[in-house]
Amino acid sequence: MDNFELVIIGAGSAAMAAVVKAGELSASVAIVERGTIGGTCVNVGCVPTKHLLRAGEIFYYARHNNFGSITGAENLKLNFAQAIEEKRQLVAGLRRDKYEDVLANVPRLTKFQGSAVFTGPHELSVDGTCVKGEKFLIATGSSPFIPPIEGIDKVDYLTNVEALELEELPESLMVLGGGPLGLEFAQMFSHFGSRVCVVQQGSQLLPRMEPEIAQALHRYLEEEDIEICVSADARAVGVKGKEKVLTVRVGAETREYRGEQFLVATGRASNTKGLGLETIGVELGKHGEIVIDDEQRTSVGHIYAAGDVRGEPMLETTAAKEGTIAAENALTGAYRKMDHASVPACIFTYPQAAQVGMTDAEATAKGYKCACRVLDLGQVPKAQVIKDTRGVIKMVAEADEGRILGVSILAPEAGDLIHEATLAVKFKLTIYDLIDTIHVFPTLSESLKLVAQAYVKDVTKMPCCTD
Amino acid sequence: MTKTYDLAVVGGGAAAFAASIKAADLGATVAMIEKGALGGTCVNVGCVPTKFLLTAGDKWYSAKNHAVHGLEIEPKRLDFARLMAQKDEMVLGQRQAKYSDVLDGLDSVELIQGHALFLSDHELSVDGNGTVKADKFVVATGSSAQIVKIQGLEDVDYLTNIEALELKELPRSMIVLGGRAVGLEFGQIFSRFGSRVTILQRSERIIPEEEPEISDALRRYLEDEGTSIETGVGLESVRKDGDDIVVTATVGGNSREFRAEKLLVATGRRPNTTELGLEKTGVELDAHGAIKVNDELQTTAANIWAAGDVIGEPMLETVAAKEGSIASHNALNGAKKKTDFSAVPHAVFTVPQAASVGLTDKQANEMGIKCKCRTLEMSMVPKALIALDTRGLIKMVTEADSGRILGVHILSPIASELIHEATLAVKFKLTIDDIIDTVHIFPAVSEAIKLVAQSFKRDIGKMSCCIE
């Protein structure tokens, strides 16, 4: 029987990156996948959601633009079923190009279909077939976390998976959870025309983001008629007629929220159950995630983990990089480390909320003496020019030298703008470096230069483009 | 009556404002002499109103022309006069906030409205009445539309950027002379609102200084939208014929006639150096009429500096502002600051936008640099597929041995934003390995920069999403 140099469990972005790296290193590699190739991102995550968000933006903002001279789109029609079908085609195409065809080009790769269970430190059973390996990589990803609310097992709730496969646009949608996933789905359906409410346990939407960003986005979503309830403790859920009814406690008050559909978006849980990890001694954290060291190694020396399975942050991009690093470390003993300090992240609402490096609170907690500046996008000429001044940028810098520690942006293209900030954080640039860098006029990227300038002058009293 | 200042700034645009603010910061007394509206070309008849109209045109056009199957869009209305009125309001607001109010807040800067004429190296008159004396001067009088010489042109009512922005009715048709930034932006604005537009370009390519891949692709996209583009055009004559203007030109050896309601001349900009009395000073001009300066922006007259479009290419608002600040700093305290424009990004704001920073392939070769380039179609970027708009490409120019990034050129709907990541890469001498090692958001168009860097090392067609 084959004894593979590396056995990879999972077929999402971490696993795929590991397969490609193993292929480059000419290793003999096995991949074990029980479901569809491509994992969450391409099938039920970033790809289909960003596609449908874009469709929603076109549909909604064609009717709600700030150009008084362009009118008459009231009769715009949405064929929801067709939009979902188009989404399926996009997913199938990307899955084929970016995953299936890529796998077909990896030499010395053996594929196993089925559920993997460790039967010993160096062997798996895949639906009864034994697979042996020298090194292992667990990249089984994550699934929706369903909170234990009374009655939840008796209602037909949606997760991201089902929400992307609805055949009809719901008249109303109730979303439990005000994190990235909850807000993206809330706005997507709201843009399509559903009446949407969001119920969030914490006092702030997007609790890991800067409060200025979260509060501004909260306001914009409410202005688009999304009902938002924060500091809400979900107590029970049931069905009344065609609607699901959620009972929540807000302070001393009890409230009821209703929706034709009910989306549970209360976080993700690492897929570590049923893998037989307990039999071989792989240590898990308190949320069931695999504990790893900074070289992606688990508590069992020849077993590595990468991606969502090892807990937060759960991002496709990080997963891919970790998969590469894990495969390289496993196969060559390279001792590469994952640098999480300059990984940008983005929530694809409109406007988008993106962030890189440390927030104000994180920098303070780490003992940095830091100085922060916040700038309204209304101060950026491009925002005035395009008649959309929604948004805010916040910069966190080390107080003495002005080194940029973190940047958060709420803006229409924040997911792209954040990359300039990412280079600034990764390559330890200062506010003076950004001030000295000429920016194209008029662009939203100027907000980065302007917020850096806000450390040294009053930018509201400044003409365009001045240093 | 004569007043004496530490610094007199001639002009009231981006360079002049930056110069005055820097001077005020340094504690100097300043006279700013402007004959027209404050803010110069950019806010009044340049970047600001054109980008506004391009945004409006994009909303109008893309609502009708998008690739999402589930959306059926009914015909819509465009109120051109109302749009132009909104443009005027926006310009007024920006001019007030970014220029007039700023000036009001600068106590040591005095605005003198009128036409400045140098009498000597140390004195100028304003509108013939009263003179202004200053120790130092910064000339920042900007540029105007350069009118190409063609037989009959003076006898027709042609438009420049200024008049095109004042139209109250949408023309049925328009001929645009010039296929560079200004010509293409106006061409697309009017084409998208519904005018039939023909662009006539003398060179063999539109935007000839940009990478040929970008020029060719942009031409194709504009033509796909219904704009006619002719290149290698030899203009012969212009005449009026009824309600139309007729341009006669040779194209590919044949003489042809082009006919339209309006004619827009966008054949470049010329520095505003006439009628300033510069001949009374030691200031010399170059062959294009631009003021000659050294790398500290000092003219050939020891106490006169110059900044912005008046010193010639590149004529960019952003560069002008930086130059104004440097000129003023050097003039007032001998700071000897030098201009460094090796990492100046610029963009043509068509849809898609063409943005560029650093060296082109051709420039690197001419400088004798051993370079290596890669080009990537935007259709290789997942976000483009997801957003159903795969138009565009990216080209990266690197130093062959070290992998240092020398230039990046992008054609994308948001190229003007994407270029800033590349600008930091060029300015701070990063390599393709640095960019590859930087995690990018998935899915973002910015991934194009990482992917093109990766394409130096591997076949990215055989790569799954997000991998290193």
Side-chain angles (χ1 to χ4, degrees), chain A residues 152-329:
Chain A
I152 198 160
D153 47 346
K154 294 188 193 72
V155 300
D156 259 346
Y157 60 82
L158 311 173
T159 68
N160 58 311
V161 178
E162 294 79 22
L164 289 166
E165 284 298 317
L166 292 176
E167 292 296 334
E168 276 178 42
L169 182 68
E171 192 268 321
S172 58
L173 174 72
M174 173 164 66
V175 179
L176 182 61
L181 197 76
L183 295 188
E184 288 183 1
F185 275 100
Q187 197 182 33
M188 180 197 301
F189 280 94
S190 171
H191 280 170
F192 285 148
S194 302
R195 190 163 39 76
V196 175
C197 68
V198 176
V199 176
Q200 159 77 337
Q201 188 178 35
S203 59
Q204 178 183 312
L205 297 178
L206 305 176
R208 291 201 192 94
M209 297 292 280
E210 293 281 9
E212 292 88 346
I213 303 278
Q215 283 155 16
L217 184 60
H218 186 139
R219 202 166 62 242
Y220 301 146
L221 293 176
E222 284 185 337
E223 284 166 6
E224 291 188 355
D225 294 325
I226 295 174
E227 187 179 0
I228 298 171
C229 177
V230 294
S231 305
D233 187 12
R235 291 295 177 86
V237 64
V239 180
K240 273 186 197 162
K242 279 184 161 181
E243 291 184 323
K244 281 89 180 172
V245 180
L246 181 68
T247 308
V248 301
R249 291 280 288 180
V250 184
E253 194 189 339
T254 300
R255 292 189 201 165
E256 280 192 351
Y257 289 90
R258 287 158 189 270
E260 182 189 329
Q261 295 287 1
F262 175 44
L263 173 70
V264 179
T266 45
R268 311 272 304 170
S270 302
N271 291 332
T272 50
K273 292 209 180 85
L275 290 170
L277 296 179
E278 55 291 342
T279 60
I280 52 166
V282 170
E283 187 190 341
L284 301 183
K286 63 179 173 176
H287 300 294
E289 78 281 12
I290 293 179
V291 176
I292 55 167
D293 66 14
D294 58 2
E295 291 166 4
Q296 308 293 134
R297 202 178 292 104
T298 69
S299 58
V300 177
H302 66 283
I303 300 178
Y304 293 75
D308 289 5
V309 77
R310 54 92 194 99
E312 294 292 343
M314 296 190 185
L315 297 169
E316 152 115 29
T317 49
T318 316
K321 196 168 170 114
E322 288 179 10
T324 303
I325 290 176
E328 201 175 335
N329 287 349

Side-chain angles (χ1 to χ4, degrees), chain B residues 54 183-193 197 199 222 225 227 349-352 391:
Chain B
L54 282 160
L184 296 184
E185 290 182 8
F186 274 102
Q188 194 178 36
I189 286 172
F190 285 98
S191 168
R192 286 191 148 193
F193 287 144
V197 172
I199 294 173
L222 294 175
E225 288 188 13
T227 301
F349 283 82
T350 44
V351 184
R391 291 177 302 171

